[in-house]
């Protein structure tokens, strides 16, 4: 009746952008990400027969409105699957700024899926947990697993994530946190606007599976340069597709572009660094662990106000004693 789970954020190297089915949260294309070993979300779910509605506390603050409704709708799925109808108290702590493009909905819904399914007495395997987490937030399906993770497009039964062997690839990520403020437009809204109005969306939808296939091949031969180039190219394609929506969807700020330039300059100096961005202004740089320090130093010389985190491959979701 009470369970606690922890999940880490993931950063997509081949992005998910666009829904084939909004109700089931099925993606138009597959995607691939790296689960990080930093900034987890820890969530406790406790059933309480005396409650007349779910209660959500995020970072110590009681939530109402959309975040609370989104979590309640998610718990409705767990209640339906378990045959129990009690409401629950949900207490969640994010060790990264919420809504700042650092994938907090991924770690959030992955932790919630694991804690809620355990608290309601469901015994789900990784695949079932991934499908459940997907219903809360698409990218959360990938945070169920550690390291490199692929999320499949398909119908409700076939759209889950699975870990991929990273072999000899030595991966790290430097995250430049440019802005801690809430993002201007949620990824869900931005995605729907892009699919609905960007004339470039069909090109994104047809080329993303090609880049995913190339990425899988690059991972299989442990070709870091190809993994990095595909990562940066895929992010630029996604943001170009968004920029052509109307009203335009543009997450990079001037500060982001300055860091993208710095990443190009690092490469010109022979340091392998590849940038990727999500639904916010922050820039994440894929690199090898030996270059984390030099990359962080260079980027902080460009942006003295940004905060820098570095991460390696992290583990999937886990239940804690509660
Ligand atoms: C740009 O998973 O947050 O980070 O399914 O609507 O909750 P919803 O969207 P969400 O979108 C993530 C988009 C992205 C790319 C990615 O993580 O693949």
């Amino acid at each position: 009746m009470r369970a606690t789970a922890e999940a880490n954020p993931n950063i997509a190297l081949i992005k998910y952008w666009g829904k084939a089915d909004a109700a089931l949260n099925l993606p138009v294309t597959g995607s691939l990400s790296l689960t990080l070993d930093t900034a987890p979300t820890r969530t406790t779910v406790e059933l309480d027969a005396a409650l007349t509605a779910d209660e959500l506390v995020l970072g110590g603050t009681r939530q109402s409105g959309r975040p609370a409704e989104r979590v309640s709708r998610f718990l409705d799925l767990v209640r339906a699957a378990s045959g129990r109808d009690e409401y629950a108290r949900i207490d969640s702590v994010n060790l990264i700024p919420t809504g700042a493009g650092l994938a907090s909905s991924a770690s959030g819904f992955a932790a919630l899926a694991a804690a809620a399914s355990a608290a309601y007495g469901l015994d789900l395997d990784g695949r079932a947990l991934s499908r459940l987490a997907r219903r809360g937030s698409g990218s959360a399906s990938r945070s169920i697993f550690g390291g490199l993770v692929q999320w499949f497009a398909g119908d409700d039964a076939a759209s889950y994530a699975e870990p991929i062997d990273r072999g000899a690839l030595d991966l790290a990520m430097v995250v430049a946190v440019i802005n801690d403020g809430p993002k201007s437009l949620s990824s869900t809204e931005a995605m729907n606007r892009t699919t609905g109005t960007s004339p470039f969306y069909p090109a994104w939808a047809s080329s993303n599976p090609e880049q995913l296939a190339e990425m899988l091949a690059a991972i299989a031969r442990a070709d870091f340069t190809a993994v990095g180039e595909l990562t940066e190219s895929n992010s630029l394609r996604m943001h170009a597709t968004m920029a052509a929506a109307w009203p335009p969807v543009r997450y990079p700020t001037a500060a982001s572009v300055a860091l993208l330039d710095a990443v190009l300059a690092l490469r010109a100096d022979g340091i392998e660094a590849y940038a990727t961005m999500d639904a916010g202004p922050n820039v994440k740089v894929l690199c090898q662990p030996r270059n984390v320090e030099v990359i962080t130093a260079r980027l902080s010389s460009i942006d003295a106000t940004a905060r820098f985190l570095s991460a390696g491959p992290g583990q999937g979701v886990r239940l804690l004693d509660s």
Side-chain angles (χ1 to χ4, degrees), residues 10 12 14-17 19 25 31 70 105 134 136-140 142 187-188 191 238 242 277-279:
N10 71 76
I14 298 293
K15 308 291 187 188
Y16 147 55
W17 198 252
K19 298 171 196 285
N25 217 20
S31 56
R70 190 171 173 188
S105 74
R134 185 199 80 218
S137 183
S139 52
R142 299 184 309 235
S187 45
T188 308
M191 226 179 257
M238 178 181 74
M242 289 185 210
M277 293 184 65
D278 295 293

Side-chain angles (χ1 to χ4, degrees), residues 188-263:
T188 308
E189 262 179 89
M191 226 179 257
N192 293 339
R193 192 186 295 171
T194 309
T195 52
T197 70
S198 175
F200 300 164
Y201 192 74
W204 165 264
S206 63
S207 66
N208 209 47
E210 294 166 12
Q211 287 201 310
L212 176 55
E214 287 170 39
M215 178 63 89
L216 289 167
I219 291 168
R221 60 176 196 273
D223 181 345
F224 177 75
T225 302
V227 168
E229 289 178 353
L230 283 162
T231 295
E232 186 163 308
S233 162
N234 188 260
S235 169
L236 291 170
R237 287 183 184 190
M238 178 181 74
H239 288 280
T241 308
M242 289 185 210
W246 198 265
V249 179
R250 192 177 59 218
Y251 288 111
T253 60
S256 319
V257 174
L259 292 178
L260 297 181
D261 281 347
V263 168

